[in-house]
Amino acid sequence: MTRIDLFPLARPVMSLLDPEAAHRLTLRALRMGLGPRAREADPVSLAIDVLGFHFENPLGIAAGFDKNGEVPDAMLAMGMGFAEVGTVTPRPQAGNPRPRIFRLPVHRAVINRLGFNNEGHAALKKRLEARRKKPGIVGVNIGANKDAADRIADYEAGIRVFEGLASYFTVNISSPNTPGLRGLQNRAELETLIARVLAARKTRTPVLLKIAPDLGEDELADIAEVALAQGLDGLIVSNTTIARGDLVSGVHAQETGGLSGTPLFEMSTAVLAGIYRLTKGRLPLVGVGGISNGRDAYLKIRAGASLLQLYSALTYEGPGLIARIKRELAAHLAEDGFAHLKDAVGADVKL
C-alpha cells in the first residue's frame, strides 16, 4: 500500500503549535505507523562501508529527535541510512524550564536549550531490547546527568548498559545546555574521558565523539591528536553553536541555547574540513549542521564526511527532504565523475 506524505497538509497546523508540542505530536504519529515509507531504492553510488557497517546511504537522523528510542525504525523506513537515538542519561531528567525550543523560520533555524531531557537508561534499554532482531543501524548517543558527581562515570555506564544493543556509541560532550559539559573537550579531561569510556567497552562497538563547532584551532588540534592516539573510532562534527552571527530577525534570535539549521552550515563545515585535515583522513567523520539540500550534503562529503546527519531542516521541509537530498547528492557525484561516495570524501581538503 502506498503511503501518502501528510506533512504538507499538517505543516500549517504544526507551525501554529509550540515547537515541543509539535515534536511530541510527530513522535506520536510515527509510533502509530503514520510516517511515509521510502518509495525508491537508494542510488548505488550512495552506499558506503564505514565503522564496520554497510550503509545503503549516508543520511542519518541526528540525536535529539528521538531521545528515548521510540521511532528509530520509522526513521529507517523513511529512507534514512541509519538512526541515532538519545542523548540518554543514566537517570531520567526533565531538562531545562520551558519554553526551551524556538523556531527562526526566516533563517530556517532552531534554537534549543533542552538540557538532555530524557527518560533514562532503563526506558531506552527496554525499547532497544524489543527491537533487537530488527535490521538497521541504530546508534546510541550517551550523556551525563546534570547533577552527576562523576560525569565520566555516567558515560561508562552508558557503554555498559547499551553494549550489544547499540550499533555504535556517540559520546556527547558538546551540548551547550548542560553547564560545564563542554569542559570535557579540554585535552586533559578528554584524555581521561576517552580512556575510561574505551576501557568500559568489552566489544569492538564503535565509539564516536561529538564535538562543538565553537572550538579554536588549538582545541581542534588537541581533539584530533587525542582521538588518533587513543583509538577513537570516529568524530561527529558538529553539535549546535552558541554563536549568533548575523541573526537579526525574529523575536527569538537572541535566546540562549544551541543554534542549529542553515546558519550553522558554514561554521560546522569549516570545522569538519579542519578536523579531516588534522586527522589526515584517518578517522571516519559524520558531518552535521545546516544540511538542507543535496548540495549541502555534497559539500559536507567533500569536506571530509563519510556519513551525514539531519534534523532541523526536517522540521521545515518534512520527510520528503530525505529522498530529495539523496537524489541531488547522487546527481552531484555523477556530475563530478565520482562513481562512489567514498571517492568524494575529503575532495576539497588538502592533507
Side-chain angles (χ1 to χ4, degrees), residues 47 160 195 216 238 253 259 262 276 308 325 337:
R160 290 192 294 268
S238 66
L259 173 71
T262 300
Y276 185 79
L308 307 165
I325 286 179

Side-chain angles (χ1 to χ4, degrees), residues 51 61-64 82-89 116 121 124 138-144 154-156 158-159 162 166-175 193 197 205-211 232-239 286 288 307 309:
L51 298 174
I61 183 67
F82 65 108
E84 185 169 310
V85 300
T87 299
V88 62
T89 56
F116 287 173
H121 281 180
L124 177 58
V138 178
V140 175
N141 184 302
I142 54 176
D154 279 9
Y155 291 100
E156 293 174 304
I159 297 291
F162 297 108
S167 301
Y168 67 88
F169 289 105
T170 296
V171 176
N172 186 357
I173 57 172
S174 52
S175 169
L193 169 72
V197 164
T205 304
V207 175
L208 290 76
L209 182 74
K210 188 168 187 176
I211 66 173
L232 204 64
D233 296 289
L235 294 166
I236 298 184
V237 188
S238 66
N239 212 316
V286 182
V288 196
L307 300 171
Q309 287 182 328

Side-chain angles (χ1 to χ4, degrees), residues 239-263:
N239 212 316
T240 57
T241 179
I242 57 174
R244 291 297 179 264
D246 297 327
L247 294 186
V248 293
S249 63
V251 295
H252 301 307
Q254 298 306 317
E255 290 285 352
T256 58
L259 173 71
S260 60
T262 300

Side-chain angles (χ1 to χ4, degrees), residues 189-343:
E189 292 190 69
L190 183 62
E191 288 176 333
T192 301
L193 169 72
I194 294 178
R196 287 175 57 178
V197 164
L198 293 183
R201 181 181 62 172
K202 289 184 168 53
T203 65
R204 285 298 305 163
T205 304
V207 175
L208 290 76
L209 182 74
K210 188 168 187 176
I211 66 173
D214 308 292
L215 298 167
E217 291 183 9
D218 291 344
E219 293 169 307
L220 291 174
D222 283 344
I223 288 171
E225 289 178 15
V226 172
L228 289 171
Q230 296 196 311
L232 204 64
D233 296 289
L235 294 166
I236 298 184
V237 188
S238 66
N239 212 316
T240 57
T241 179
I242 57 174
R244 291 297 179 264
D246 297 327
L247 294 186
V248 293
S249 63
V251 295
H252 301 307
Q254 298 306 317
E255 290 285 352
T256 58
L259 173 71
S260 60
T262 300
L264 181 58
F265 180 78
E266 289 189 12
M267 174 190 286
S268 61
T269 306
V271 174
L272 174 68
I275 283 289
Y276 185 79
R277 186 181 300 109
L278 288 165
T279 58
K280 297 178 173 57
R282 290 161 55 191
L283 275 183
L285 305 180
V286 182
V288 196
I291 299 172
S292 59
N293 54 56
R295 179 66 177 171
D296 293 342
Y298 185 49
L299 291 176
K300 292 280 191 189
I301 297 296
R302 293 184 65 102
S306 294
L307 300 171
L308 307 165
Q309 287 182 328
L310 311 174
Y311 183 1
S312 295
L314 288 170
T315 67
Y316 289 106
E317 303 294 333
L321 178 65
I322 300 168
R324 187 158 68 250
I325 286 179
K326 290 191 290 186
R327 288 194 301 268
E328 293 173 356
L329 176 56
H332 284 299
L333 289 169
E335 183 178 356
D336 287 348
F338 294 113
H340 303 286
L341 185 143
K342 66 180 178 61
D343 300 325

